[in-house]
Amino acid sequence: MLAPIPSLPGFRLNSYLGSAPSGHVYRAWDELHGRDVVVKLLDPRRCSPSGLARLAAIAGRAATSPGVPATRFYDVVADPIQPFVVMDLLLGESLQAMLLRTGPMPWERARALGHTIAGALAAAHRAGLVHGALKPTNIFVHGDTVHLTDFGVRSLPEPLDPDALLADAGRMAPEQLRGESADERSDLFGLGLLLFELVTGRLPFEGAPREVFKRQLSCRPPAPSHFVPTLPHVADSMILELLEKNPARRPDSAIGARNMLSVDERGLDHERAIDGAGRSAALHDPPMARRPAEPPPAPLSCPNHNPVVATMALVAVLAAGLAMSCP
């Protein structure tokens, strides 16, 4: 049974849209400005004034950077009892809703979506922004376009409860689990996880949180075709390249990932066809050779704000306390 919809001064919360580790999301009416919005009620245990300020800076920058298909961002309210975020109500549906409605999708549909998402990430990276928390709930699809939401959500400190720290381990890059800052190639790992989930309906590692944490750090993921034998070999190859444990072995940039995903299972390169059709330059830049990824500006990078010492201590405890072998 769903809990009653809470009240929030200045907003009328109309319907529950979903939840994430950082909070619960509602469709709402902004009474002051007279508009439909999305309100995310944040878990106050996972927030701090500095984390909320950083979230506001990153999300606001994403929403105003030319060419970045990010959600329009209205406000972060740092109320000590109930902090919340106010965002634009997007058209279309999230990838999570799409998966629930249709189930795992054919590789060609997933590849085309991945190609567009990689283009969106390339635009964000050019603006010095790293998402750091890609998942089906924060990518919205409307026609041929995508919008990214939740820029900066990893800026909110997590509590030092191990179970809470591990709750999202299956959706994080290994370097994030080690307490390192997310960079462009962490987003490419997130893209690989998205594609894996789109074609199989699941993540590479599922089960007990501590086991997922350790496998995400150390084990090579299974091929998607292990779960869906009809997937073409190229799907395995592209997804597993994005999911390399070592960031240096992933594509060098989102442009490189997009170029890789432009080739379908028949070997046809759709990049030129798309460019010839005059699609948006923000999502479909001319093909470029792979180049070393430049780090985003330090003030707007999106680090994992768990204290590094605590995170490394957790890694050590898990390594000592749970026997594991990689298949």
Side-chain angles (χ1 to χ4, degrees):
M1 181 177 178
L2 291 177
I5 294 178
S7 60
L8 195 66
F11 297 88
R12 185 171 69 247
L13 304 188
N14 295 321
S15 58
Y16 175 74
L17 298 179
S19 63
S22 57
H24 300 289
V25 184
Y26 295 85
R27 179 170 181 164
W29 177 253
D30 183 339
E31 296 173 341
L32 177 61
H33 298 97
R35 62 193 176 194
D36 285 311
V37 296
V38 168
V39 170
K40 176 179 273 191
L41 301 181
L42 301 171
D43 184 344
R45 298 170 301 172
R46 294 173 179 260
C47 300
S48 70
S50 61
L52 289 168
R54 192 173 184 89
L55 170 63
I58 295 172
R61 172 69 179 274
T64 57
S65 293
V68 179
T71 310
R72 186 181 304 168
F73 175 82
Y74 295 130
D75 201 6
V76 170
V77 179
D79 185 286
I81 304 300
Q82 180 56 78
F84 62 94
V85 176
V86 185
M87 300 171 287
D88 192 19
L89 179 66
L90 293 173
L91 297 175
E93 65 178 339
S94 69
L95 287 182
Q96 179 68 22
M98 188 181 296
L99 277 172
L100 290 173
R101 179 171 57 83
T102 67
M105 61 184 63
W107 167 243
E108 276 305 300
R109 172 61 173 152
R111 182 199 59 76
L113 280 169
H115 179 271
T116 303
I117 294 166
L121 289 173
H125 295 168
R126 281 196 302 272
L129 292 158
V130 173
H131 192 286
L134 289 175
K135 60 181 69 175
T137 54
N138 58 33
I139 298 178
F140 277 73
V141 180
H142 181 58
D144 290 334
T145 64
V146 300
H147 278 82
L148 308 181
T149 71
D150 284 348
F151 272 94
V153 72
R154 291 261 187 244
S155 301
L156 297 173
E158 305 277 359
L160 293 181
D161 170 52
D163 289 333
L165 283 169
L166 300 178
D168 222 20
R171 297 190 181 277
M172 297 173 69
E175 59 269 22
Q176 290 175 284
L177 294 178
R178 292 191 296 268
E180 301 167 12
S181 293
D183 64 12
E184 293 181 7
R185 290 173 297 184
S186 305
D187 278 347
L188 301 187
F189 191 94
L191 176 60
L193 291 174
L194 277 172
L195 289 171
F196 195 106
E197 191 166 5
L198 289 179
V199 297
T200 67
R202 54 160 293 154
L203 291 168
F205 302 119
E206 296 183 346
R210 284 171 171 76
E211 183 173 350
V212 170
F213 184 99
K214 292 189 69 176
R215 291 186 181 279
Q216 194 81 338
L217 276 174
S218 305
C219 295
R220 180 174 174 81
S225 62
H226 175 78
F227 303 103
V228 183
T230 55
L231 284 172
H233 173 74
V234 68
D236 285 346
S237 176
M238 291 183 182
I239 291 173
L240 291 177
E241 181 173 345
L242 291 164
L243 292 179
E244 285 284 354
K245 300 296 184 189
N246 182 350
R249 300 191 65 177
R250 299 170 202 158
D252 291 333
S253 66
I255 291 289
R258 195 202 60 183
N259 290 344
M260 177 179 73
L261 290 165
S262 70
V263 180
D264 69 15
E265 59 186 288
R266 298 168 298 169
L268 176 64
D269 190 337
H270 290 254
E271 190 72 54
R272 294 175 184 173
I274 289 174
D275 290 342
R279 299 287 181 88
S280 168
L283 295 183
H284 305 291
D285 293 336
M288 296 174 59
R290 287 190 178 183
R291 56 177 176 78
E294 298 178 0
L300 289 175
S301 62
C302 186
N304 174 3
H305 272 249
N306 303 326
V308 173
V309 172
T311 306
M312 294 304 294
L314 178 59
V315 173
V317 168
L318 288 171
L322 182 65
M324 180 198 68
S325 60
C326 295

